Amino acid sequence: MTDSERKQTQEVLRAFLPEGAVRSCERFGNGHINDTYLVECAEGYPRYVLQRINREVFHNLHAVSDNVEKITDFLREKIIAQGGDPNRETLTLIPDKEGRKSHMDGEGQCWRLVLFIEDAVCYEQVERPEDFYLSGKAFGHFQRMLADYPAETLVETIPHFHDTPSRLKALWQAVRKDVCGYAGQVAGELEFVAARERECGTAMDMLAGGELPLRVTHNDTKLNNIMFDAKTGDTLCVLDLDTIMPGLSIFDFGDAIRFGANTALEDERDTGKVSLSLELYEMFVRGFLEGCQGSLTDNEVRMLPMGAKLMTMECGIRFLTDYLEGSVYFHIDYPEHNLVRARTQFALAQDMERKWKVMTDIVDKYRT
Ligand code: GN1
Ligand code: MG
């Protein structure tokens, strides 16, 4: 952490906590978008997580904070009504000294402080297949818990977030501009995408035609956005609520498969290691459908495999676009990090094509 980062976080923490409460504040986790810190405090205080919301990504910071506050308030009430522990089962926003659940600093940066959930773990990769089933159930349950939330009161904080055709347009534009001169290098990847261009519009066309309903969706259903209870092994809490927006349920399903049912990490350099684990896919399908408890329409269920493929293609398209644009969006650890990520996504999408029949058969098996 740089000195100025240290100074800045100390200053922000003073807006939330009493003088002398904070012992340390260090970088934490590995999200690609926001900056996250773990805050250790003096005795008598819990631990906290401090986050700076990335304003390059989220242009309407107030709306992001507002969405998160509304959803956590809503979930909190439901959890209490169901006899659960709201401090562990959803995020608890700590108000600043002026009572606001997010804090704007002097430079217009937006920060939030949440309670750290103790005795809980997150996984970057599936360690026990059973955990992936549980994460599916948790995201399905999350979807069902919010089924009666008035979606229209949420702001679409990143317009066209999972609008695959518009992500494609952005890619072709990046190719045309080719600001870094990398386009020649990625001809193979571009060809792969071009061959699937029409398919990329399938879900958005169905939404426009009223064949798929608009729902309140999480939009970043990676395995590492679920917290598990370290003692019981059960799922506890869905994290990373910044991208909650109206969207498609098949995309929440699909993004989870893209990330969690890959036999390799998102940034594995050896694409030979990338494949769709059908065992994990089946686990998640079973969990997700159980968690949704029959709340999905027939079309939604039928389109689940397509949701997985589209999210994988889209994410590859986004990584590739960012690579061509000089990696201005996703945090990277080395210059070609986004290209490596794009390649894993395309390799995974291709493996799904090979396994398509089994993917659809598995959904049929668990459809209720
Ligand atoms: C970003 O910050 P993180 O890692 O949870 C991104 C997702 C991508 C994901 C790829 C707001 O999520 O859409 O799928 O990286 N979030 C945003 O790993 O763009
Ligand atoms: Mg995250």
Side-chain angles (χ1 to χ4, degrees):
M1 230 161 105
T2 62
D3 282 349
S4 81
E5 201 177 355
R6 210 168 284 286
K7 224 178 109 202
Q8 197 177 23
T9 50
Q10 293 305 327
E11 205 173 295
V12 168
L13 284 168
R14 273 198 286 277
F16 286 99
L17 298 167
E19 207 59 44
V22 176
R23 277 212 181 127
S24 68
C25 173
E26 296 295 337
R27 282 234 169 214
F28 182 65
N30 46 8
H32 298 347
I33 303 294
N34 296 327
D35 295 314
T36 306
Y37 306 86
L38 177 64
V39 183
E40 305 266 0
C41 288
E43 248 189 82
Y45 287 93
R47 296 200 282 177
Y48 300 100
V49 172
L50 177 71
Q51 270 196 319
R52 176 186 17 219
I53 319 303
N54 185 328
R55 62 174 164 186
E56 309 296 326
V57 171
F58 297 103
H59 297 163
N60 188 347
L61 292 169
H62 287 289
V64 173
S65 304
D66 235 46
N67 280 357
V68 174
E69 192 173 334
K70 281 177 182 156
I71 292 297
T72 48
D73 283 351
F74 182 83
L75 289 175
R76 199 167 196 83
E77 265 182 43
K78 274 208 172 172
I79 293 165
I80 294 171
Q82 292 167 3
D85 177 353
N87 288 350
R88 287 174 74 68
E89 293 172 36
T90 188
L91 293 180
T92 305
L93 297 166
I94 309 296
D96 70 2
K97 288 176 179 167
E98 286 168 17
R100 284 186 291 250
K101 287 186 177 168
S102 62
H103 177 79
M104 264 315 165
D105 70 13
E107 293 167 20
Q109 306 257 31
C110 185
W111 301 78
R112 78 163 69 95
L113 189 69
V114 299
L115 216 49
F116 178 78
I117 302 176
E118 298 288 348
D119 301 316
V121 281
C122 281
Y123 301 110
E124 284 306 313
Q125 232 179 340
V126 176
E127 288 175 13
R128 301 178 315 157
E130 176 71 7
D131 290 340
F132 200 47
Y133 156 76
L134 290 173
S135 80
K137 206 169 155 184
F139 280 124
H141 177 72
F142 185 77
Q143 171 102 201
R144 192 173 51 89
M145 289 269 272
L146 292 168
D148 59 340
Y149 188 88
E152 66 286 354
T153 63
L154 295 177
V155 177
E156 197 184 347
T157 45
I158 308 181
H160 307 291
F161 189 58
H162 280 324
D163 175 345
T164 317
S166 95
R167 297 294 189 177
L168 255 177
K169 264 191 216 144
L171 173 64
W172 301 137
Q173 194 180 39
V175 172
R176 273 195 304 277
K177 288 196 182 150
D178 197 18
V179 287
C180 302
Y182 294 161
Q185 228 186 80
V186 299
E189 283 73 21
L190 296 174
E191 210 178 296
F192 182 86
V193 174
R196 288 152 184 83
E197 178 145 13
R198 272 196 44 207
E199 189 177 56
C200 281
T202 326
M204 293 313 280
D205 288 348
M206 286 181 76
L207 173 68
E211 294 166 79
L212 287 173
L214 201 65
R215 305 232 181 228
V216 177
T217 47
H218 181 276
N219 290 303
D220 191 13
T221 48
K222 294 193 290 192
L223 175 70
N224 68 1
N225 282 331
I226 293 271
M227 285 207 110
F228 291 80
D229 190 312
K231 287 186 185 142
T232 65
D234 281 345
T235 54
L236 263 182
C237 178
V238 174
L239 305 174
D240 215 347
L241 307 179
D242 296 310
T243 47
I244 285 200
M245 285 178 258
L248 294 180
S249 62
I250 65 166
F251 287 166
D252 269 3
F253 169 86
D255 209 27
I257 297 297
R258 172 193 81 73
F259 190 79
N262 185 351
T263 52
L265 286 176
E266 189 179 76
D267 58 357
E268 169 60 56
R269 284 175 183 269
D270 177 2
T271 51
K273 293 185 180 159
V274 174
S275 69
L276 176 79
S277 159
L278 284 170
E279 184 202 3
L280 291 178
Y281 171 82
E282 179 159 359
M283 290 270 187
F284 196 90
V285 168
R286 181 161 64 86
F288 190 73
L289 289 177
E290 263 176 49
C292 286
Q293 287 198 341
S295 59
L296 300 183
T297 65
D298 285 350
N299 273 343
E300 285 177 297
V301 176
R302 182 172 64 80
M303 290 298 285
L304 289 176
M306 186 53 86
K309 182 169 175 195
L310 289 178
M311 280 298 91
T312 309
M313 283 302 298
E314 183 187 287
C315 202
I317 290 168
R318 293 174 64 195
F319 287 142
L320 188 58
T321 306
D322 198 33
Y323 177 67
L324 293 174
E325 289 177 340
S327 294
V328 290
Y329 186 89
F330 295 106
H331 291 169
I332 52 165
D333 296 334
Y334 51 90
E336 66 288 3
H337 205 163
N338 274 318
L339 178 57
V340 167
R341 289 172 177 148
R343 287 183 172 148
T344 64
Q345 300 308 294
F346 298 146
L348 183 61
Q350 197 163 30
D351 194 46
M352 289 179 183
E353 290 174 353
R354 284 183 215 113
K355 296 173 175 162
W356 198 248
K357 169 85 173 68
V358 190
M359 285 174 75
T360 54
D361 286 350
I362 289 173
V363 167
D364 285 340
K365 179 170 157 192
Y366 293 101
R367 148 201 311 272
T368 39

